[in-house]
Amino acid sequence: MSAGLLAADVCVRPRPLTHHQPGSSMLRRLHRAARMLSLNPVSNAVATVTDLAVAARMHAALLQSEGDRHELHSAWILGWCHFLHRLRVASGTLPRSGEVRSALNASAAGILREELPRELKRPLSELAALGEGKPLGLNEGLTIVQSLSVRYTQYLEAAILLGEEMLQFGRSRVRRARFHHAAADAGLTRAESEQRAGASVLHRADVLLWALGLGPAHTDVVRFVVELGVNDADMAAALLAAAPALRWLGVDSYEAASHG
């Protein structure tokens, strides 16, 4: 089965399973898991379709006949189609700002219906070992999907925020914006290395470190940062721990403390 078969225009109903088919019990479980996608909120849809891909991968090696492999492909297509349906339903619940093409040159609804599935299609099919190319390693595939999930969550938030900006002010305040997908990867790369050491935390400081060009190989580079609104200095601590040569100035009125 090619990765191209995961396009939305091939969402077809798989033929019914028969009880005497080898592996039919496992395939029915996959069908049930696929249908559960339509019951989950969008925040869980990516995780559920990823679990389905992993299940398909594990069971693919157990199937001997061409008929059983065809049914496995059918179950996977069914799951993908329910995933697309879940995203379409979610896009219909967005506020008005989610339908507006903002300074990002994208709308949140378009991101859900088109961009996210387009990005996930190939890595998920290769994770399921049902694509034409070489299957992704399990850890590699899960890492790619996790990265896409993290970055598209942020992308959607930015699209809705800038959609509201477009509704209220047009392009008078924000003429053009760009979402840097690579910023999330920097944090995930660090988190993976920490996970091997027994701890893994993603932090918003990772985005700032990426923007400042302060990756693991540039910890001695001097940069000057002013933070407005320090609160408990959690951000400052994360920045300075990752980049000791950073020159940081924090500004905060601490009005709550002065009135306490």
Side-chain angles (χ1 to χ4, degrees), residues 22-208:
S24 61
S25 175
M26 177 275 295
L27 291 167
R28 279 193 295 276
R29 289 199 297 273
L30 282 177
H31 275 280
R32 285 195 295 271
R35 292 190 181 96
M36 287 299 293
L37 273 169
S38 63
L39 305 177
N40 289 340
V42 66
S43 59
N44 295 333
V46 173
T48 307
V49 78
T50 302
D51 289 344
L52 186 63
V54 173
R57 179 193 187 101
M58 297 304 180
H59 290 298
L62 304 177
L63 301 180
Q64 302 297 323
S65 73
E66 186 64 29
D68 282 349
R69 283 190 290 270
H70 174 78
E71 293 296 344
L72 180 61
H73 292 166
S74 296
W76 170 241
I77 291 175
L78 177 65
W80 178 256
C81 291
H82 278 298
F83 174 63
L84 296 181
H85 173 70
R86 180 66 264 171
L87 296 183
R88 287 193 295 270
V89 170
S91 70
T93 65
L94 292 171
R96 185 183 171 205
S97 57
E99 295 287 347
V100 175
R101 184 174 289 274
S102 69
L104 285 168
N105 196 31
S107 68
I111 292 169
L112 273 176
R113 292 193 296 255
E114 300 170 15
E115 294 189 42
L116 178 58
R118 184 167 60 242
E119 288 284 345
L120 285 170
K121 181 172 65 176
R122 182 168 295 278
L124 281 174
S125 65
E126 292 180 355
L127 178 61
L130 297 174
E132 290 181 336
K134 181 181 178 182
L136 285 172
L138 189 59
N139 289 337
E140 180 187 3
L142 291 174
T143 298
I144 290 172
V145 173
Q146 179 191 17
S147 174
L148 287 170
S149 180
V150 168
R151 73 173 70 163
Y152 270 86
T153 298
Q154 300 297 322
Y155 190 19
L156 283 167
E157 291 178 1
I160 292 173
L161 177 65
L162 289 173
E164 187 62 34
E165 172 75 19
M166 182 66 72
L167 285 174
Q168 294 192 38
F169 304 101
R171 294 184 182 271
S172 63
R173 301 201 314 182
V174 182
R175 187 172 183 179
R176 181 174 178 271
R178 180 183 175 188
F179 186 84
H180 295 275
H181 290 269
D185 289 340
L188 285 172
T189 300
R190 177 190 56 75
E192 288 162 19
S193 64
E194 291 179 355
Q195 189 173 35
R196 287 190 288 271
S200 175
V201 178
L202 285 172
H203 199 285
R204 287 186 179 273
D206 294 314
V207 177
L208 295 178

